[in-house]
Amino acid sequence: MTCRTRRAARPDTPGALVVRSAPPVPTAAVLLLHGGRADGPEPPPALNLPALRMRPFATAVTRAVRGRNVLVADVRYRHRGWNGPRADAARDAEAALASLREQAGPVPVVLLGHSMGGRAALRAAGDPHVRGVVALAPWCPAGEPVEHLGGRRLYLLHDETDRVTAARDSWDFVRRARAAGADAAGIPMPTGGHAMLRGADLWHRRAAELTAALLSHG
């Protein structure tokens, strides 16, 4: 039986988890990371559209891993933006992974992130318990580090008409990650733009399938 819970986080709690579904004894976990802004030291607003956009992905993933004792949770950011060298979203992702270990033990984890959340997921993927990353229209600026990704499986999904983050940056990131020893793949999406609204069902389904496949990979 799956226990569904929601854990409110104090605003000062870095990388707090909001657990969407959790079996009594998780054997794996999926953490979802929503998008944000390049700069924004303020907390995310109460009505946070990037976080709302991830809800159908969480639903699709939960269905895809049903019966497999997988905990599914969101990462709650302290700040709305990445904020330059502070890399706040990445720090929160790392803290969330630590919180997850305290709650569920050293289970394998897949990170599923959109835009800024995709960048944060790729930054945090050096954690030894991260099995892989599914990054949706990720923000992958030139020079984004890849040296920590050896041995990780990475899927970067991008619509080449995206006007917010550039698909060519994702494909370049994939090439560099492969050179660093990652098993990385770039997956062009036929439509959707940055918000992944057109063809949304395809985005939800493909992300869930890839996440489930990563959890099956030994």
Side-chain angles (χ1 to χ4, degrees):
M1 180 177 68
T2 298
C3 299
R4 296 184 179 277
T5 61
R6 292 223 179 234
R7 180 162 38 161
R10 299 190 309 272
D12 61 343
T13 303
L17 292 176
V18 179
V19 178
R20 290 183 170 272
S21 62
V25 182
T27 58
V30 177
L31 296 187
L32 293 98
L33 300 96
H34 64 74
R37 297 181 173 182
D39 298 294
E42 71 279 5
L47 180 59
N48 189 359
L49 295 181
L52 290 174
R53 183 62 191 93
M54 292 303 288
R55 286 187 180 179
F57 287 99
T59 299
V61 166
T62 300
R63 289 174 179 164
V65 301
R66 184 171 294 157
R68 295 173 60 180
N69 295 325
V70 177
L71 181 150
V72 179
D74 298 322
V75 176
R76 176 166 292 182
Y77 303 140
R78 295 166 299 161
H79 308 282
R80 196 172 190 179
W82 183 268
N83 300 318
R86 284 171 39 173
D88 286 319
R91 291 177 181 272
D92 287 344
E94 292 166 355
L97 286 164
S99 297
L100 174 65
R101 282 193 293 274
E102 292 178 2
Q103 177 170 328
V107 299
V109 183
V110 171
L111 302 177
L112 171 60
H114 172 230
S115 191
M116 181 186 78
R119 184 181 184 184
L122 292 165
R123 277 282 185 102
D127 184 284
H129 298 104
V130 172
R131 181 166 287 177
V133 174
V134 179
L136 311 170
W139 177 24
C140 295
E144 186 69 10
V146 296
E147 295 78 11
H148 61 295
L149 296 172
R152 301 296 184 273
R153 287 196 171 190
L154 315 172
Y155 297 108
L156 279 68
L157 285 63
H158 224 131
D159 173 8
E160 294 189 340
T161 68
D162 188 337
R163 296 182 179 180
V164 178
T165 58
R168 65 178 178 275
D169 291 341
S170 287
W171 311 152
D172 180 66
F173 185 92
V174 166
R175 287 191 291 271
R176 294 191 300 112
R178 286 175 178 167
D183 182 356
I187 301 176
M189 297 297 285
T191 188
H194 191 68
M196 311 171 292
L197 294 176
R198 291 185 62 191
D201 287 347
L202 177 61
W203 282 88
H204 302 157
R205 183 172 66 254
R206 189 159 292 178
E209 290 171 350
L210 291 170
T211 299
L214 284 170
L215 290 173
S216 298
H217 172 64

